[in-house]
Each structure stands twice: as C-alpha cells, then as structure tokens.
Amino acid sequence: MSHEYGALVSQFRETLTQQRYNPVVVHNYCRNADYFLCYLVERKIALETVTPTEVSNYLRLAVRQFRKRHGRAPARYWVSIPRSGIHGLLRLALKRWPPEPATSDAGELLCREVCDHYQTWLREERGLAVASIDALMWEARYFSAWYLKRSDTASFMDSSIRDVDAYFEMRAPGLRRKSLKDVAERLRSLLRHLHRTGHILTDLAPHVIAPLLYAYEGIPSTLSSDQIAAVLKSAQQDQSPMGLRDYAILQLLSTYGLRVGEITRLRLDDIDWRAEALHIRHSKTGAHSLLPLMEPVGESLINYLRHGRPQTDAREIFIRSRAPYHRMSGIYSEVRRRMEAAGVKPSGKRGPHIFRHARAVSLLRAAVPRKVIGDVLGHRSTEATIPYLKLATEDLRAIALEIPGQEVRS
C-alpha cells in the first residue's frame, strides 16, 4: 500500500463498510483504489489534479496487465470493478467527481454561469421540487448550448423571436402536443430569468406560444383487474429480497393508487401497526392522509421488512437492493420489469402511474363519490378526478336510454 495515501484508503474502506457494502466488494474496491494511487505516485501526479483521462489511461494499463498475467483478455465487464473503486475513492477525496471539463470557450463559460445561477434561483428563491428543477435545468442547458453554438457572440443579448421559433422547429419532430407544451413552459421560465438578470433586453417569454390543449383531452393508460392480478401473482412467486420488495410496492400501488414519490418516501414511522393505519404524505399537494392498512398490504410489508430489507440506518421503508443502502430514487424500472415478467402489455404508458389510474376507475365503478376518491388519491380538488371518468366509459352502457322512434300507424 502507498504510505502516502494509506490513511485515505483506510478511510475509504471504513466508508464502504458503513454503507453496508459486501466485504468482497470492499476488498476489491480498496485494492484497486490502492493500485491506482501507486500509479499516481510513480508518475508524480497529484491526486487533486487527476482527470478522467488519467483514470482511462490507468484502466487501459490494468487491462494490459491482466492479459499479461492470465494470457487472456478479462471478461467483458471486469473493468467496471477497478473503475467503480477508483471513482468511489475520488468522490471521497475530491468531493466532486467527475469534475466539470475545463474550457476556455467563452460561450460555454457563459452557459455554465447562467445555468448555475438559474438553478440556484429555482432552488432557493422558488423552492421547487428536485424533479421540477431537473426538468427546467435540462431545457435550460439544451437551449443555452443550442443558441450559443449558432450565435456569433458569447451573449444572449441578440436573442429574438426568430431564435425561439427556430428552437421549436428543431425540438418539435417526434414530440406530442403535451410534450411541446411542457417545452414551451420550461423555455418561458428560462427566458424570464434571462430578462430579469439582464442577459436579454426584451422579455421574450410572452412570445412563446404553446400548443392549445383541451381539458381532459388525453385518455390515461390503465390496467384491468385481471392484469393487476396477473402482475401480483407473478411478483409474489419471486421470494428473493428484491422480489419481496417489489411485491410490497405493487400491493401499495394497486390498493391505494399511490404516487411514486409517496412510496419511495414512505418511512417506518408511517406505519401504525396497532391502529392498522398508514400515514401518507402526498408528494404533489403536500397534504396528509391516514389510510387503513389493508391485510394484503400489511402482510407484504412485514414479509419484506423481515426477510428482504437490507440492514441500514435509513428510515425509509424501500431500500436499494445493492449498496450503498439508501432509499430508492424511483420504481419505474422495477414496475415495468414485473409487468413484462407477467406478460402484461397495456396500451400507452407502462409506468407505475397506470396502477393509480386503475384504482381510480375501480372506485368510480363502485359508485364511490368523487370527493372520497380524491381524498384517497390525495387530489387537491374533485376536478383532478375528472380525467379518470373517461376510463370508465364502458359503464355508460348500463344507463343507455332507448331513443324513441316515430310510431308507425297501421
């Protein structure tokens, strides 16, 4: 081990152990991190000046050394082990890794400056949710890079309506009207910020015309009761830790129609086992609900907590299946994988939200009042429940009226 960096590797080992990494993984990561540090010492490269290029150079050397030792090339994914160990060490030592690529281009520097200021404003002044900031920042970076690349000067000062039109022409192909409306709203926000901060003289935001959408024009995707039963049955057969976790998530989705954020932020303290109640913080409205803990949901949660959940200090219920063990950031891929395994292929979107749509429809068909449905789903108003009415159109057949025809006289 490099004496110069021995303490750093020890700290790295302790950090990985605290994050509940498998001991074999800890050993491999630390060993490769130490090899990399020795590589830096031999070449007199300071750790603080390491770049992604130097990491790539080392990994190529590691592959050559593997080939020389074993007389063959390593397995396809072998290089991911030393790469992960090195990246983990660099994140610990440098706090920010990978670093932003250095640039002397005036346009790129301006793009970073504007976007960094915009992101700070969205977070600290407007207090938006992380997902909203991410969406706004993606559009901001994309537009800024696009505009400055086609502009002769490193400035937004000459921005005009023609530029906005050209941007939409470039973005429009392949997008639906709803997606184009989202683009327009995000672009308006950025243009208002550019005007407010003096980067453009004229406020172009009012000139961004979004497609006209009619209320409730889109029909949400949904699942039938048979499809939901098939997904639950398929997931229940997987008794691995990941299977127990996914089955509990599917029970919450199908029983209560919860949003993704409401599931991923669900904490151990939110379950009142004695009162058989579930405390839900609605991620979209900020409201709170107390729902009855249904028996299938409770059983699936107990099974996961006892036999599937990793040992961790995190208070969230649903945890990543691999270290570092912290709460799941999303459940889209897990839900989609379970539907595919069950052979369920709904038309339209196939994410977790279709379980929410299905729950709303089942309540509508059970003649539950819209106000109660809204309370269960965490809607701020009964108007938010209206789009789900279109998914129950087949029920209209039950109240069809005969159209009186002209009486024929003999």
Side-chain angles (χ1 to χ4, degrees):
M1 179 178 288
S2 166
H3 295 294
E4 184 177 351
Y5 291 118
L8 177 59
V9 175
S10 296
Q11 183 184 359
F12 184 41
R13 184 185 304 278
E14 183 180 348
T15 300
L16 293 175
T17 303
Q18 289 175 349
Q19 293 177 341
R20 314 280 184 175
Y21 277 84
N22 184 288
V24 175
V25 175
V26 173
H27 172 74
N28 288 334
Y29 279 13
C30 291
R31 182 181 61 178
N32 283 285
D34 184 58
Y35 289 163
F36 178 67
L37 291 172
C38 291
Y39 169 87
L40 296 181
V41 171
E42 289 173 3
R43 286 158 180 76
K44 298 181 180 180
I45 301 172
L47 183 62
E48 295 75 16
T49 64
V50 169
T51 66
T53 301
E54 276 143 3
V55 175
S56 298
N57 290 340
Y58 169 78
L59 292 174
R60 281 193 290 269
L61 174 63
V63 170
R64 290 197 300 270
Q65 290 175 338
F66 184 100
R67 193 191 305 269
K68 185 177 180 179
R69 286 195 306 270
H70 301 278
R72 61 177 177 83
R76 183 178 178 184
Y77 298 108
W78 176 86
V79 76
S80 66
I81 298 173
R83 181 193 295 119
S84 297
I86 293 167
H87 284 189
L89 177 83
L90 292 172
R91 281 194 293 270
L92 174 67
L94 304 180
K95 307 307 179 186
R96 184 169 184 174
W97 181 266
E100 285 194 18
T103 181
S104 58
D105 181 81
E108 190 170 341
L109 289 171
L110 176 63
C111 180
R112 288 185 188 177
E113 177 189 343
V114 166
C115 289
D116 286 347
H117 188 272
Y118 181 47
Q119 186 173 27
T120 301
W121 179 77
L122 291 172
R123 182 178 61 252
E124 298 181 1
E125 298 296 328
R126 293 197 60 191
L128 297 183
V130 173
S132 299
I133 293 176
D134 289 345
L136 288 162
M137 289 308 304
W138 188 95
E139 201 71 51
R141 293 189 181 99
Y142 197 82
F143 174 80
S144 299
W146 172 86
Y147 174 79
L148 293 171
K149 184 176 180 180
R150 74 195 298 264
S151 177
D152 294 333
T153 60
S155 171
F156 291 97
M157 199 61 70
D158 295 330
S159 303
S160 66
I161 299 174
R162 291 182 180 180
D163 296 312
V164 173
D165 292 340
Y167 181 72
F168 266 89
E169 287 180 11
M170 181 272 297
R171 289 281 277 125
L175 295 182
R176 297 181 178 180
R177 289 191 304 144
K178 174 63 171 66
S179 298
L180 277 177
K181 184 174 186 294
D182 292 339
V183 171
E185 291 174 350
R186 294 193 291 261
L187 186 58
R188 283 196 200 106
S189 176
L190 174 64
L191 292 173
R192 281 193 292 266
H193 177 76
L194 290 173
H195 176 60
R196 181 174 55 254
T197 54
H199 286 286
I200 56 177
L201 295 178
T202 304
D203 186 5
L204 299 176
H207 301 285
V208 178
I209 308 301
L212 181 62
L213 297 183
Y214 298 97
Y216 320 123
E217 68 173 76
I219 298 178
S221 305
T222 189
L223 294 171
S224 67
S225 57
D226 290 341
Q227 288 176 317
I228 292 175
V231 175
L232 289 171
K233 182 178 179 180
S234 174
Q236 192 175 23
Q237 293 172 354
D238 182 359
Q239 291 297 299
S240 69
M242 187 182 297
L244 297 176
R245 183 198 65 192
D246 292 351
Y247 180 67
I249 288 173
L250 290 168
Q251 281 286 358
L252 287 167
L253 285 171
S254 60
T255 303
Y256 305 110
L258 300 181
R259 299 181 180 93
V260 171
E262 293 161 358
I263 290 178
T264 58
R265 292 181 177 84
L266 195 63
R267 297 171 65 86
L268 296 169
D269 302 334
D270 293 330
I271 306 177
D272 189 337
W273 298 104
R274 292 183 180 277
E276 297 184 348
L278 196 62
H279 177 225
I280 302 297
R281 300 174 185 83
H282 296 288
S283 55
K284 193 170 183 179
T285 63
H288 293 245
S289 294
L290 195 63
L291 302 176
L293 183 61
M294 309 302 291
E295 184 174 344
V297 177
E299 290 179 353
S300 67
L301 286 171
I302 290 174
N303 207 14
Y304 168 62
L305 292 173
R306 285 179 175 172
H307 308 294
R309 188 174 183 268
Q311 291 185 358
T312 173
D313 295 331
R315 299 301 296 169
E316 288 80 14
I317 292 177
F318 296 107
I319 304 298
R320 281 166 39 100
S321 59
R322 296 178 61 184
Y325 295 123
H326 52 69
R327 79 175 179 88
M328 300 174 69
S329 58
I331 60 175
Y332 181 89
S333 59
E334 288 77 10
V335 170
R336 182 159 186 167
R337 184 175 63 250
R338 295 299 172 180
M339 285 196 293
E340 290 175 353
V344 173
K345 299 179 180 179
S347 59
K349 296 181 179 179
R350 303 183 182 185
H353 220 64
I354 60 176
F355 285 85
R356 182 175 176 82
H357 298 162
R359 184 55 180 152
V361 172
S362 68
L363 292 172
L364 285 166
R365 289 173 178 166
V368 176
R370 269 171 44 195
K371 174 64 171 64
V372 176
I373 297 174
D375 291 341
V376 172
L377 298 180
H379 286 161
R380 191 171 288 172
S381 68
T382 55
E383 293 297 313
T385 312
I386 291 178
Y388 301 119
L389 290 170
K390 292 182 296 181
L391 291 169
T393 51
E394 64 185 53
D395 295 353
L396 296 177
R397 297 191 184 101
I399 58 172
L401 301 176
E402 292 187 4
I403 300 177
Q406 183 177 4
E407 184 179 351
V408 180
R409 295 181 181 181
S410 55

